[in-house]
Structure formats: C-alpha cells, structure tokens
Amino acid sequence: AQSVSQHNHHVILSEAASLELGCNYSYGGTVNLFWYVQYPGQHLQLLLKYFSGDPLVKGIKGFEAEFIKSKFSFNLRKPSVQWSDTAEYFCAVMGGGSYIPTFGRGTSLIVHP
Amino acid sequence: NAGVTQTPKFQVLKTGQSMTLQCAQDMNHEYMSWYRQDPGMGLRLIHYSVGAGITDQGEVPNGYNVSRSTTEDFPLRLLSAAPSQTSVYFCASSYADRTGELFFGEGSRLTVL
C-alpha cells in the first residue's frame, strides 16, 4: 500500500520568509502527485499537481513543487510567504493505477505579519 | 456551478442517535468519497464510490454506511453515533481517472455528546 509522509507538522514563519514543505511517498511505480491547501474554516482546494513531464510544476499563488523521483519526494516551495498563506497543506499521491488518493497528515503553516 | 454541496454544515447529536450527512455534486463525476478530518490525523477515507450502485470501504468505515443510487448523490449515514465520531466530514468527487483532482464540499462539523 502506498503511504505519504509530511515531516513538518507545524511551521511558523514571518512574512517574506521562504517556505519549503516536505512530502515523501512510498510507492515504486508511476505516481500522480498533488498538493491541496485548506484555508482556515474552508474546504480543501487544489494548489498544484504533477502527472508527467517537467518535474518542476507551478501552481496558484506563487507556489511550486519539485518531483524528485529518486528521492520519492514532492516538496512544496514558495520564495516569499504572505500572511494570507496561513493554512493547512496536504500532500496526496495516486499510484498503481488507482484513482483514489492517499493523503499525508498535513502541515499547519502560520505566517506572522 | 454549485460543485459539491454538503448539508448540514453543523450538527450536534447525542450518543446513539442516527443521522445522515448529505452530499450532492453537479459535475457528473463518477467518483465520490467521504473523509473525516481530525487534528493531527489528516484526512482519512471512510467510504467511496466509483459509480451508481457501487460502493466500497476506505480506511475507517466502521460505524458508517453509504449508498449511491444516483451519480449525483452520496449520503453518509451514522447508524448509532458515538463520541469518537465527533469530527469534520468532507465529501469529495472527481472523474474516475488518475488525472482527476478532488473537488471538496465545505465540510460538516459533527459533535456527538
């Protein structure tokens, strides 16, 4: 069975700091990878996704993620965070022909103004 | 577009009571699912469906029933509520392929006393 690990459970940053959230998965075959964001009091929405091609994918609001197959990783980055980026971030993986994603436990990001 | 609609948004139950969380989507998605979200546990899959008349269990199915009589609707039933079922519940839908992102409802916050 596939699994997803998000190593940072809570991250606190000041505005303009750089962000990197880790995501590692355990599945050796072809994978589709996603990052979802949940703003306070809201539902989850897609931030970005990777299916194939350029391993560096860009999403909404200046976020990007890099797929490194050899490291089974799909880390999320943003060069300069804003207070409005305060949210919970979830990594998700689809692998093995399944279209049912497996989610990580999430990372809570707090950005101080 | 309405997207994924969940009702009710909030519900308080007493132990042993039953209730149904409603979920409807208007995007003609084949795949629908229910998750529960608990602090530090991320999203855990309860039940899912890949089409009308087809349902299957996820990671935490005990205490919950589902049915899928139409493409649009996927209700979640709690037969005899327990305090351990206090949680936020999300319904999600997607096309049944590996490129599909999940579209989430706004969530239902359930408290069982």
Side-chain angles (χ1 to χ4, degrees):
Chain A
Q2 58 203 22
S3 64
V4 180
S5 296
Q6 292 183 242
H7 308 295
N8 316 102
H9 299 299
H10 300 279
V11 174
I12 300 174
L13 295 172
S14 298
E15 274 193 320
S18 63
L19 170 72
E20 181 161 4
L21 302 182
C23 173
N24 288 89
Y25 62 91
S26 64
Y27 183 74
T30 302
V31 292
N32 291 354
L33 300 157
F34 305 82
W35 276 97
Y36 287 85
V37 60
Q38 183 181 29
Y39 297 105
Q42 297 186 25
H43 62 285
L44 280 79
Q45 55 188 287
L46 184 71
L47 200 54
L48 50 80
K49 59 186 177 184
Y50 171 80
F51 295 143
S52 63
D54 189 345
L56 184 63
V57 293
K58 297 189 183 300
I60 60 172
K61 303 188 180 184
F63 285 91
E64 65 179 31
E66 185 175 13
F67 169 52
I68 304 180
K69 188 175 181 179
S70 61
K71 295 185 177 180
F72 299 91
S73 70
F74 190 55
N75 292 354
L76 181 70
R77 299 195 294 248
K78 186 171 184 178
S80 175
V81 294
Q82 300 173 321
W83 174 78
S84 58
D85 293 325
T86 293
E88 191 146 11
Y89 294 81
F90 293 92
C91 182
V93 175
M94 281 187 196
S98 170
Y99 46 77
I100 301 170
T102 299
F103 282 86
R105 292 197 170 187
T107 297
S108 174
L109 171 66
I110 296 174
V111 180
H112 290 299
Chain B
N1 284 340
V4 180
T5 304
Q6 280 182 243
T7 56
K9 286 186 170 55
F10 301 95
Q11 183 72 48
V12 179
L13 291 177
K14 294 181 180 178
T15 296
Q17 286 185 316
S18 63
M19 77 156 298
T20 299
L21 298 177
Q22 302 289 347
C23 176
Q25 53 90 11
D26 62 357
M27 296 173 280
N28 203 31
H29 286 161
E30 302 96 339
Y31 175 76
M32 297 186 73
S33 54
W34 278 101
Y35 291 87
R36 59 177 290 173
Q37 184 180 27
D38 302 291
M41 302 295 290
L43 290 167
R44 292 183 290 171
L45 182 64
I46 305 172
H47 284 284
Y48 64 94
S49 168
V50 300
I54 307 169
T55 63
D56 207 345
Q57 297 181 349
E59 180 185 356
V60 288
N62 292 342
Y64 307 94
N65 275 359
V66 291
S67 60
R68 183 96 178 268
S69 56
T70 67
T71 300
E72 293 78 20
D73 301 299
F74 191 47
L76 179 72
R77 297 183 186 85
L78 284 71
L79 301 177
S80 179
S84 61
Q85 294 178 304
T86 293
S87 186
V88 180
Y89 293 85
F90 286 99
C91 180
S93 72
S94 74
Y95 292 112
D97 62 38
R98 296 181 65 228
T99 63
E101 69 178 89
L102 281 175
F103 291 83
F104 286 84
E106 294 192 356
S108 300
R109 183 174 294 274
L110 174 66
T111 301
V112 183
L113 302 175

